[in-house]
Amino acid sequence: MSATRGQAAETGVCVSADGTEIAFEQSGSGPAVVLVASALADRSDTTRLAALLAEHFTVINYDRRGRGASGDADAYAVEREAEDIAALIEHVGGSASLFGSSSGAVLALRAAAAGVNIDRLALYEPPFVVAEGDDGPPGDLARQVTALLAQGRDGDAVKYFMTRVQGMPGIAVFFMRLMPKVWANLTRLARTLPYDIAVMGDTQQGKPLNAEEWKGASVPTRVLTGGKSPAAFQRAARAVTEILPQADHRTLPGLDHGAVVMAPKKIAPQITEFLEG
Protein backbone atom coordinates (compact mmCIF):
# COMPACT_ATOMS: atom_id res chain seq x y z
CA MET A 1 0.00 0.00 0.00
CA SER A 2 1.26 3.46 -0.83
CA ALA A 3 0.03 6.99 -1.27
CA THR A 4 1.72 9.66 -3.31
CA ARG A 5 1.90 13.41 -2.97
CA GLY A 6 -1.38 15.12 -3.74
CA GLN A 7 -3.49 12.03 -3.10
CA ALA A 8 -5.83 11.57 -0.17
CA ALA A 9 -4.51 9.55 2.74
CA GLU A 10 -4.89 5.78 2.39
CA THR A 11 -5.77 3.62 5.36
CA GLY A 12 -3.86 0.51 6.34
CA VAL A 13 -3.16 -1.88 9.18
CA CYS A 14 0.09 -3.40 10.42
CA VAL A 15 0.53 -6.08 13.05
CA SER A 16 2.65 -5.38 16.12
CA ALA A 17 4.95 -7.92 17.76
CA ASP A 18 2.24 -9.13 20.16
CA GLY A 19 -0.29 -9.58 17.35
CA THR A 20 -2.22 -6.34 17.96
CA GLU A 21 -3.45 -4.64 14.79
CA ILE A 22 -2.41 -0.98 14.52
CA ALA A 23 -4.45 1.17 12.14
CA PHE A 24 -2.97 4.11 10.30
CA GLU A 25 -3.36 6.56 7.45
CA GLN A 26 -0.49 7.02 4.99
CA SER A 27 -0.06 10.09 2.82
CA GLY A 28 2.61 11.94 0.85
CA SER A 29 5.98 10.68 -0.37
CA GLY A 30 9.62 11.04 0.56
CA PRO A 31 11.34 10.29 3.89
CA ALA A 32 8.96 8.76 6.43
CA VAL A 33 7.65 10.40 9.60
CA VAL A 34 5.35 8.73 12.14
CA LEU A 35 3.01 10.94 14.22
CA VAL A 36 2.64 9.86 17.86
CA ALA A 37 -0.50 11.16 19.59
CA SER A 38 -0.90 12.56 23.09
CA ALA A 39 -3.29 11.48 25.84
CA LEU A 40 -7.01 11.53 24.94
CA ALA A 41 -6.13 11.78 21.24
CA ASP A 42 -6.32 9.54 18.21
CA ARG A 43 -5.20 10.12 14.64
CA SER A 44 -8.11 12.50 13.97
CA ASP A 45 -6.33 15.09 16.14
CA THR A 46 -3.35 15.21 13.78
CA THR A 47 -5.18 14.96 10.43
CA ARG A 48 -4.46 18.59 9.53
CA LEU A 49 -0.83 18.38 10.60
CA ALA A 50 -0.42 15.16 8.61
CA ALA A 51 -1.75 16.85 5.46
CA LEU A 52 0.75 19.69 5.82
CA LEU A 53 3.70 17.37 6.41
CA ALA A 54 2.64 15.14 3.50
CA GLU A 55 3.84 17.90 1.15
CA HIS A 56 7.39 16.89 2.14
CA PHE A 57 7.25 13.40 3.68
CA THR A 58 5.59 10.00 3.69
CA VAL A 59 3.40 10.52 6.76
CA ILE A 60 2.12 7.69 8.95
CA ASN A 61 -0.69 9.05 11.15
CA TYR A 62 -1.74 6.16 13.38
CA ASP A 63 -4.12 5.26 16.17
CA ARG A 64 -2.20 4.23 19.26
CA ARG A 65 -3.34 0.86 20.64
CA GLY A 66 -6.76 0.96 22.28
CA ARG A 67 -7.79 4.00 20.22
CA GLY A 68 -9.75 4.58 17.05
CA ALA A 69 -9.50 1.65 14.64
CA SER A 70 -6.51 0.00 16.35
CA GLY A 71 -6.77 -3.12 18.45
CA ASP A 72 -5.58 -3.67 22.01
CA ALA A 73 -4.26 -6.43 24.26
CA ASP A 74 -5.47 -7.73 27.62
CA ALA A 75 -2.45 -6.33 29.47
CA TYR A 76 -0.66 -3.04 28.84
CA ALA A 77 3.06 -2.30 28.87
CA VAL A 78 4.86 0.74 27.48
CA GLU A 79 7.19 -1.66 25.66
CA ARG A 80 4.26 -2.83 23.52
CA GLU A 81 3.70 0.73 22.30
CA ALA A 82 7.37 0.99 21.33
CA GLU A 83 6.87 -2.25 19.37
CA ASP A 84 3.85 -0.67 17.64
CA ILE A 85 6.06 2.18 16.45
CA ALA A 86 8.71 -0.31 15.32
CA ALA A 87 6.08 -2.18 13.28
CA LEU A 88 4.96 1.04 11.59
CA ILE A 89 8.56 1.95 10.77
CA GLU A 90 9.12 -1.53 9.34
CA HIS A 91 6.03 -1.00 7.17
CA VAL A 92 7.56 2.10 5.56
CA GLY A 93 10.90 0.46 4.85
CA GLY A 94 12.74 0.18 8.13
CA SER A 95 13.61 3.76 9.04
CA ALA A 96 11.58 6.86 9.89
CA SER A 97 11.56 9.97 12.02
CA LEU A 98 9.00 10.54 14.77
CA PHE A 99 6.96 13.55 15.76
CA GLY A 100 5.28 13.28 19.15
CA SER A 101 3.31 15.77 21.22
CA SER A 102 2.85 15.89 24.99
CA SER A 103 2.88 12.32 26.39
CA GLY A 104 3.25 11.15 22.78
CA ALA A 105 6.58 12.99 22.73
CA VAL A 106 7.65 10.98 25.78
CA LEU A 107 6.52 7.75 24.11
CA ALA A 108 8.59 8.69 21.04
CA LEU A 109 11.59 9.27 23.32
CA ARG A 110 11.03 5.92 25.03
CA ALA A 111 10.90 4.16 21.65
CA ALA A 112 14.22 5.75 20.70
CA ALA A 113 15.75 4.83 24.07
CA ALA A 114 14.56 1.23 23.54
CA GLY A 115 16.54 1.00 20.32
CA VAL A 116 13.77 1.38 17.72
CA ASN A 117 15.36 2.43 14.39
CA ILE A 118 14.55 6.16 14.35
CA ASP A 119 16.24 8.80 12.19
CA ARG A 120 15.22 11.95 14.03
CA LEU A 121 12.91 13.00 16.86
CA ALA A 122 10.78 16.14 16.78
CA LEU A 123 8.98 16.63 20.09
CA TYR A 124 6.35 19.17 21.12
CA GLU A 125 6.16 19.94 24.84
CA PRO A 126 6.98 16.65 26.57
CA PRO A 127 5.25 17.24 29.95
CA PHE A 128 8.12 16.32 32.23
CA VAL A 129 8.03 18.09 35.60
CA VAL A 130 11.67 18.65 36.52
CA ALA A 131 11.67 21.53 39.03
CA GLU A 132 10.46 21.27 42.60
CA GLY A 133 8.14 24.27 42.38
CA ASP A 134 6.41 23.21 39.16
CA ASP A 135 2.93 21.76 39.34
CA GLY A 136 2.80 18.05 38.63
CA PRO A 137 -0.20 15.73 38.63
CA PRO A 138 -1.60 14.37 41.91
CA GLY A 139 0.55 11.68 43.46
CA ASP A 140 -2.36 9.22 43.37
CA LEU A 141 -3.30 10.01 39.75
CA ALA A 142 -3.09 6.40 38.55
CA ARG A 143 -5.17 5.14 41.46
CA GLN A 144 -7.85 7.80 41.02
CA VAL A 145 -8.20 7.28 37.26
CA THR A 146 -8.17 3.48 37.58
CA ALA A 147 -10.90 3.65 40.25
CA LEU A 148 -13.15 5.88 38.14
CA LEU A 149 -12.74 3.61 35.11
CA ALA A 150 -13.45 0.51 37.22
CA GLN A 151 -16.73 2.14 38.29
CA GLY A 152 -17.67 2.79 34.66
CA ARG A 153 -17.31 6.55 35.20
CA ASP A 154 -15.32 7.18 32.02
CA GLY A 155 -16.56 10.76 31.65
CA ASP A 156 -15.51 11.55 35.22
CA ALA A 157 -12.07 10.06 34.51
CA VAL A 158 -11.72 12.39 31.52
CA LYS A 159 -12.81 15.38 33.63
CA TYR A 160 -10.39 14.45 36.42
CA PHE A 161 -7.49 14.15 33.98
CA MET A 162 -8.32 17.38 32.19
CA THR A 163 -8.69 19.46 35.33
CA ARG A 164 -6.06 17.89 37.61
CA VAL A 165 -3.38 17.02 35.04
CA GLN A 166 -3.93 19.32 32.06
CA GLY A 167 -4.98 22.25 34.25
CA MET A 168 -8.17 22.94 32.32
CA PRO A 169 -10.78 25.08 34.13
CA GLY A 170 -13.85 23.14 35.20
CA ILE A 171 -16.08 25.50 33.21
CA ALA A 172 -14.19 24.59 30.01
CA VAL A 173 -14.84 20.89 30.64
CA PHE A 174 -18.50 21.73 31.30
CA PHE A 175 -18.81 23.34 27.87
CA MET A 176 -17.00 20.43 26.22
CA ARG A 177 -19.63 18.13 27.68
CA LEU A 178 -22.24 20.15 25.77
CA MET A 179 -20.60 19.10 22.47
CA PRO A 180 -21.86 15.51 22.05
CA LYS A 181 -19.43 14.36 19.33
CA VAL A 182 -16.37 15.82 21.06
CA TRP A 183 -17.30 14.44 24.46
CA ALA A 184 -18.24 11.01 23.08
CA ASN A 185 -14.82 10.68 21.45
CA LEU A 186 -13.03 11.74 24.64
CA THR A 187 -14.94 9.25 26.76
CA ARG A 188 -14.16 6.50 24.22
CA LEU A 189 -10.48 7.29 24.77
CA ALA A 190 -10.75 7.35 28.57
CA ARG A 191 -9.74 3.69 28.85
CA THR A 192 -6.29 4.58 27.50
CA LEU A 193 -5.53 7.20 30.17
CA PRO A 194 -3.63 4.62 32.28
CA TYR A 195 -1.43 4.01 29.23
CA ASP A 196 -0.25 7.63 29.15
CA ILE A 197 0.19 7.65 32.92
CA ALA A 198 2.46 4.61 32.47
CA VAL A 199 4.35 6.31 29.63
CA MET A 200 5.12 9.27 31.90
CA GLY A 201 6.22 6.98 34.76
CA ASP A 202 7.95 8.91 37.55
CA THR A 203 9.00 11.86 35.36
CA GLN A 204 6.45 14.37 36.74
CA GLN A 205 7.58 14.55 40.36
CA GLY A 206 9.64 17.74 40.24
CA LYS A 207 12.97 15.91 40.03
CA PRO A 208 15.73 16.02 37.38
CA LEU A 209 15.45 13.52 34.56
CA ASN A 210 17.46 10.33 34.98
CA ALA A 211 20.02 10.48 32.17
CA GLU A 212 20.57 6.71 32.34
CA GLU A 213 16.91 6.08 31.50
CA TRP A 214 17.15 8.03 28.23
CA LYS A 215 20.72 7.38 27.09
CA GLY A 216 19.58 5.16 24.21
CA ALA A 217 17.86 8.16 22.58
CA SER A 218 21.01 9.31 20.79
CA VAL A 219 19.47 10.49 17.49
CA PRO A 220 19.20 14.18 16.49
CA THR A 221 16.31 15.61 18.52
CA ARG A 222 14.51 18.94 18.52
CA VAL A 223 12.22 19.93 21.37
CA LEU A 224 9.62 22.57 20.51
CA THR A 225 7.67 24.59 23.06
CA GLY A 226 5.04 27.31 22.78
CA GLY A 227 5.82 30.81 23.97
CA LYS A 228 2.40 31.04 25.67
CA SER A 229 2.79 27.75 27.55
CA PRO A 230 3.69 27.61 31.25
CA ALA A 231 7.39 28.01 32.04
CA ALA A 232 7.48 24.40 33.28
CA PHE A 233 7.40 23.23 29.65
CA GLN A 234 10.46 25.36 28.85
CA ARG A 235 12.31 23.89 31.84
CA ALA A 236 11.35 20.39 30.73
CA ALA A 237 12.61 21.08 27.21
CA ARG A 238 15.95 22.38 28.49
CA ALA A 239 16.25 19.30 30.73
CA VAL A 240 15.85 17.04 27.68
CA THR A 241 18.52 18.93 25.73
CA GLU A 242 20.91 18.63 28.68
CA ILE A 243 20.73 14.84 28.91
CA LEU A 244 20.60 13.93 25.19
CA PRO A 245 23.77 14.16 23.08
CA GLN A 246 22.16 15.65 19.95
CA ALA A 247 19.21 17.73 21.15
CA ASP A 248 18.24 21.37 20.85
CA HIS A 249 15.25 23.50 21.82
CA ARG A 250 13.15 26.09 19.99
CA THR A 251 10.36 28.24 21.43
CA LEU A 252 7.55 29.15 19.01
CA PRO A 253 6.01 32.55 19.82
CA GLY A 254 2.28 32.75 20.42
CA LEU A 255 1.63 29.01 20.74
CA ASP A 256 0.42 26.94 23.69
CA HIS A 257 0.05 23.26 24.56
CA GLY A 258 -2.88 22.76 22.18
CA ALA A 259 -1.02 24.06 19.13
CA VAL A 260 -0.62 20.68 17.39
CA VAL A 261 -4.40 20.55 16.94
CA MET A 262 -5.23 24.27 16.95
CA ALA A 263 -2.30 25.77 15.00
CA PRO A 264 -0.71 23.03 12.84
CA LYS A 265 0.27 25.56 10.14
CA LYS A 266 2.63 27.20 12.63
CA ILE A 267 4.20 23.94 13.76
CA ALA A 268 4.54 22.09 10.45
CA PRO A 269 7.33 24.34 9.03
CA GLN A 270 9.40 23.85 12.19
CA ILE A 271 9.05 20.07 12.00
CA THR A 272 9.82 20.08 8.28
CA GLU A 273 12.93 22.22 8.64
CA PHE A 274 14.37 19.97 11.33
CA LEU A 275 13.48 16.61 9.80
CA GLU A 276 14.93 17.64 6.44
CA GLY A 277 18.19 18.31 8.26
Side-chain angles (χ1 to χ4, degrees):
M1 186 212 73
S2 64
T4 57
R5 192 170 297 171
Q7 291 181 335
E10 295 183 16
T11 58
V13 171
C14 70
V15 180
S16 193
D18 71 344
T20 300
E21 292 191 343
I22 304 299
F24 62 90
E25 292 178 345
Q26 178 172 326
S27 55
S29 62
V33 56
V34 178
L35 307 186
V36 188
S38 63
L40 293 175
D42 57 23
R43 71 180 191 240
S44 66
D45 289 77
T46 40
T47 298
R48 290 196 298 154
L49 177 63
L52 294 165
L53 293 175
E55 296 173 13
H56 306 273
F57 307 102
T58 297
V59 180
I60 300 295
N61 186 21
Y62 80 105
D63 286 327
R64 286 173 56 188
R65 60 174 53 212
R67 311 177 191 211
S70 286
D72 206 353
D74 292 336
Y76 178 80
V78 177
E79 291 79 6
R80 302 294 82 76
E81 289 220 70
E83 291 168 357
D84 299 345
I85 292 171
L88 291 162
I89 292 174
E90 191 61 33
H91 165 77
V92 290
S95 69
S97 295
L98 302 184
F99 170 74
S101 61
S102 195
S103 55
V106 179
L107 176 56
L109 265 175
R110 289 202 184 279
V116 175
N117 190 24
I118 294 162
D119 296 328
R120 287 177 169 243
L121 286 173
L123 312 174
Y124 189 75
E125 296 198 344
F128 297 126
V129 181
V130 297
E132 201 171 316
D134 290 338
D135 287 335
D140 61 348
L141 171 64
R143 186 173 64 80
Q144 293 284 359
V145 168
T146 301
L148 290 169
L149 294 173
Q151 295 164 27
R153 296 166 60 191
D154 292 16
D156 288 337
V158 171
K159 179 182 177 182
Y160 184 86
F161 189 85
M162 285 183 154
T163 55
R164 298 300 300 277
V165 180
Q166 297 178 326
M168 195 177 290
I171 189 69
V173 179
F174 171 79
F175 282 115
M176 289 181 84
R177 284 186 135 157
L178 300 179
M179 297 183 279
K181 281 188 177 178
V182 172
W183 192 251
N185 195 46
L186 288 169
T187 52
R188 274 196 297 270
L189 294 166
R191 296 273 150 181
T192 62
L193 282 172
Y195 301 1
D196 289 275
I197 294 168
V199 166
M200 295 310 302
D202 62 356
T203 63
Q204 295 181 299
Q205 298 178 357
K207 299 174 184 175
L209 295 176
N210 177 1
E212 188 69 18
E213 187 176 358
W214 307 98
K215 68 178 183 180
S218 58
V219 299
T221 301
R222 175 157 295 170
V223 189
L224 302 170
T225 53
K228 289 174 69 177
S229 292
F233 285 115
Q234 320 300 332
R235 284 190 277 275
R238 288 194 294 271
V240 172
T241 64
E242 286 167 7
I243 64 166
L244 299 186
Q246 297 191 74
D248 63 15
H249 171 218
R250 298 281 188 278
T251 300
L252 309 183
L255 300 185
D256 61 18
H257 199 59
V260 171
V261 176
M262 304 305 295
K265 285 185 178 179
K266 294 185 177 178
I267 288 184
Q270 301 290 332
I271 300 169
T272 299
E273 177 205 5
F274 173 66
L275 295 186
E276 288 185 333

